[in-house]
Amino acid sequence: TGAYGLVRHPMYTAVLAMMLATGLAWSHWIGLAAGLALAWIGTIIRTRIEDRLLRAAFGPEFDAYARGVPALIPRWAPKASTNRRPPSRSSS
């Protein structure tokens, strides 16, 4: 539900979007490309580590959630038959 129903890591999505907007407004395109590339690589590394930790903590419930919700870039239209609720501690 909410932001976590659109992407698994909404904070990282917001940071990347802010970097893109700031770079477009204030930076030369080469600086923008370099900054976004470095941020993207770091974000991919962090999200993979976080997903691994969440998978260990929540197991199949996280797997079902991850299949239905992209990590960083929202889909144009959500999948119709997927679990879009993040796993909760109370259900494990």
Side-chain angles (χ1 to χ4, degrees), residues 4 7-8 10 13 21 27-28 32 45 47 55 60 77-78 82 85:
Y4 289 95
V7 291
R8 292 193 310 269
T13 300
S27 180
H28 188 275
L32 170 62
I45 291 168
T47 57
R55 190 166 282 111
T82 58
R85 301 195 77 197

Side-chain angles (χ1 to χ4, degrees), residues 4 6 15 21 23 29 38 40 42 44 46-47 49-50 55-56 66-67 75 80 83-84:
Y4 289 95
L6 298 173
V15 168
W29 69 269
L38 289 172
W40 185 261
I44 294 301
R46 284 190 306 274
T47 57
I49 291 168
E50 287 183 17
R55 190 166 282 111
R67 276 192 301 273
R75 290 186 182 95
N83 178 9
R84 296 184 57 196

